[in-house]
Amino acid sequence: MTPLFDPALKEQLSTAASFLWLNPAYRSKMDKTRQPLSIDDIKSADLRLHRFAPLLQKLFPELQQSHGLIESELQAIPNMQHAVFPELPGKLMIKADHALPVAGSIKARGGIYEVLCHCESLALKHSILSSTEDNYLKLIDTDAREIFSRYKIAVSSTGNLGLSIGIISSALGFNATVHMSAEAKDWKKKRLRERGVSVIEHSDDYSAAVTAGRQQSEADPLSYFIDDENSSQLFTGYAVAALRLKEQLKAQQVAVDAEHPLFVYLPCGVGGAPGGITFGLKQIFGPYVHCFFAEPVQAPCVLIGLQADSEETLLSVYDVGLTVTTEADGLAVSKASAWVCSVIKNILSGVFTVEDNSLFRHLYQLYLHENITLEPSAAAGFSGPEHIIQSETGRRYLEQENLLGHLDKATHLIWTTGGLFVPPEEMKKSQHYGQQLIENNN
Ligand SMILES: *Cc1c(COP(=O)(O)O)cnc(C)c1O
């Protein structure tokens, strides 16, 4: 008989109200010997991205300035902090993945990385590259593209992963197929079709689209499926963000140590992106970084997934009476990645759930005070600081980790995960909705 998780927690979840859950399995000291990946794996992923940088710079003119690296800014948001979080001790910052070039969301990290891994291995196999020291610009020669065009890359997505995989795959000459789940926004599908990517629309949820996409791809030996539920390459690509953030914090003289805790708030879908980043950050900053995931009240799949002790006992949001419905399409996932849950089990501090209305309010406030534009999913982290600093549960965490005396020197980093490509009229609608909620005190 499988031990069903805590009935009180199940009851709490089923009310679909926002709350903070602390992970009882969290250990401030990470047992590095029990981890499936190491800091060296993350560093070698970063090296691979550097090998491809000259090629990416050629393919995507927007990468001119960064010399082919896809990276976002670390920035303080003093106006937002002053206006919306006046009582928050410490410093409020964002990691601006909403503006990541090429894919317009955090998926540029994992998705593009995995396609580059596949591309590199095919190029070596077909002797387009003689070794990893070779000139990667050879990969845009006509004969290389001709070879890549025989291969397919497939993925299932609620929107953004499909955008990232579709854009990079078609730029390299691969045949790309994206299986979109029901919540995918029309503009995301349109943008892909314009680039020659074939988009298959599913009327089912994300987990069903992954199963369908995986099955179809496995039937074709020339097709490679990017498996968001089981991919250590996606995860490693996301983890590289931690190395980059470390440098950015240093450059901006933001200390992270026993006296200067770093709280990181990450919007979470299937778990790969926030999980990979958490994994990387814990490798670098150990007990001094505290990572919390943000999930929609109707789709807290990782919170639920972390209650399971194996893939067989992992429940979906439907199993606790929730619906997965949310305007945060990037987070609309019914079942977590079991693999990611097992890797983050002891390193994630907790999860808070977020109502859709909060997303729109924060999205509007960030626009109003900082002129920054996000898609709804990307605003989920903004509810974090309040949960940690003001709720009873949050205070319990601060007490237990001995952080109460260091809050004035803390940094609260909100990961803003998507938005660059949202069409202006769509963006205006979201902002207007948030403005109305605030004016009507909702
Ligand atoms: C995909 C996505 C996330 C979460 O990533 P997962 O790997 O699914 O957990 C967060 N924000 C946005 C905008 C996304 O597209």
Side-chain angles (χ1 to χ4, degrees):
M1 189 56 203
T2 46
L4 203 64
F5 66 76
D6 181 9
L9 177 60
K10 193 173 172 190
E11 171 68 30
Q12 166 87 276
L13 285 164
S14 69
T15 63
S18 162
F19 76 109
L20 169 66
W21 171 81
L22 297 182
N23 179 10
Y26 173 67
R27 301 287 171 265
S28 55
K29 268 224 163 73
M30 173 162 169
D31 182 357
K32 291 188 182 164
T33 56
R34 289 189 50 222
Q35 295 295 344
L37 299 166
S38 70
I39 189 77
D40 291 333
D41 295 314
I42 304 175
K43 286 182 180 160
S44 87
D46 193 33
L47 288 178
R48 177 171 287 117
L49 291 169
H50 277 89
R51 291 200 288 278
F52 273 95
L55 174 72
L56 294 184
Q57 189 178 345
K58 266 250 151 59
L59 289 172
F60 302 101
E62 64 266 43
L63 297 180
Q64 207 58 33
Q65 234 183 353
S66 67
H67 305 289
L69 286 190
I70 300 174
E71 198 41 74
S72 72
E73 305 261 311
L74 166 70
Q75 67 182 96
I77 44 168
N79 300 332
M80 176 83 169
Q81 180 167 4
H82 186 72
V84 182
F85 303 97
E87 318 255 285
L88 182 72
K91 187 173 184 175
L92 188 64
M93 302 188 88
I94 60 170
K95 178 67 178 146
D97 276 10
H98 65 276
L100 270 182
V102 181
S105 82
I106 194 167
K107 299 299 190 310
R109 300 186 180 279
I112 290 177
Y113 177 70
E114 180 155 357
V115 172
L116 297 182
C117 290
H118 183 57
C119 174
E120 187 178 61
S121 100
L122 284 177
L124 291 166
K125 181 175 145 199
H126 287 279
S127 305
I128 302 167
L129 295 175
S130 59
S131 76
T132 54
E133 321 268 282
D134 205 345
N135 175 7
Y136 278 48
L137 290 175
K138 287 182 182 171
L139 301 178
I140 38 175
D141 291 350
T142 331
D143 40 341
R145 293 182 71 86
E146 196 282 311
I147 290 171
F148 294 146
S149 74
R150 296 180 219 157
Y151 290 90
K152 262 194 206 142
I153 294 183
V155 68
S156 301
S157 174
T158 63
N160 286 337
L161 185 62
L163 270 184
S164 113
I165 306 278
I167 289 169
I168 183 71
S169 301
S170 67
L172 289 165
F174 289 100
N175 267 306
T177 302
V178 174
H179 296 263
M180 287 292 199
S181 62
E183 44 280 305
K185 304 273 183 231
D186 285 334
W187 67 265
K188 293 182 182 175
K189 299 177 200 168
K190 184 162 166 270
R191 199 176 171 99
L192 281 174
R193 289 193 169 116
E194 282 165 5
R195 291 183 179 241
V197 173
S198 56
V199 175
I200 300 174
E201 296 178 70
H202 294 262
S203 54
D204 257 334
D205 81 358
Y206 181 59
S207 307
V210 172
T211 307
R214 189 190 286 133
Q215 270 171 5
Q216 189 176 330
S217 183
E218 276 170 1
D220 179 351
L222 296 181
S223 179
Y224 179 84
F225 186 66
I226 310 252
D227 195 334
D228 202 14
E229 288 180 350
N230 296 293
S231 169
S232 63
Q233 284 180 351
L234 275 177
F235 190 85
T236 313
Y238 289 123
V240 171
L243 299 177
R244 309 264 175 91
L245 179 64
K246 180 189 174 197
E247 295 308 314
Q248 290 178 320
L249 288 164
K250 203 165 131 200
Q252 297 189 31
Q253 293 167 350
V254 179
V256 181
D257 54 37
E259 320 250 274
H260 301 83
L262 173 64
F263 295 90
V264 185
Y265 307 103
L266 296 143
C268 174
V270 76
I277 291 170
T278 296
F279 181 81
L281 290 174
K282 291 305 267 187
Q283 293 280 338
I284 293 170
F285 297 115
Y288 310 130
V289 63
H290 308 272
C291 299
F292 291 88
F293 290 0
E295 299 196 283
V297 290
Q298 288 289 353
C301 66
V302 167
L303 201 173
I304 291 168
L306 285 169
Q307 313 306 317
D309 48 15
S310 70
E311 185 154 4
E312 290 67 42
T313 58
L314 192 136
L315 300 184
S316 79
V317 305
Y318 308 123
D319 296 322
V320 302
L322 297 172
T323 62
V324 91
T325 317
T326 172
E327 280 301 311
D329 52 337
L331 318 182
V333 178
S334 62
K335 207 168 182 175
S337 158
W339 184 79
V340 169
C341 286
S342 74
V343 179
I344 62 174
K345 185 110 195 162
N346 305 124
I347 61 174
L348 181 69
S349 295
V351 180
F352 53 93
T353 61
V354 184
E355 290 177 16
D356 274 16
N357 281 354
S358 309
L359 304 176
F360 289 101
R361 279 196 303 266
H362 286 135
L363 176 158
Y364 169 67
Q365 287 165 323
L366 193 65
Y367 169 66
L368 180 69
H369 300 297
E370 301 281 352
N371 200 22
I372 291 172
T373 53
L374 303 180
E375 60 184 271
S377 301
F382 282 96
S383 303
E386 211 167 303
H387 279 295
I388 306 306
I389 303 296
Q390 283 170 9
S391 77
E392 211 174 292
T393 312
R395 300 302 283 192
R396 189 144 47 84
Y397 181 83
L398 297 174
E399 211 163 306
Q400 154 200 319
E401 300 299 318
N402 289 318
L403 297 168
L404 283 170
H406 305 300
L407 293 181
D408 287 339
K409 292 183 222 137
T411 301
H412 295 269
L413 179 62
I414 292 168
W415 215 284
T416 54
T417 48
L420 185 63
F421 297 156
V422 178
E425 50 303 354
E426 188 110 356
M427 188 63 84
K428 283 214 184 73
K429 259 192 248 165
S430 297
Q431 289 162 348
H432 184 68
Y433 185 62
Q435 181 178 16
Q436 280 185 320
L437 288 171
I438 290 169
E439 285 170 4
N440 300 331
N441 270 321
N442 267 318

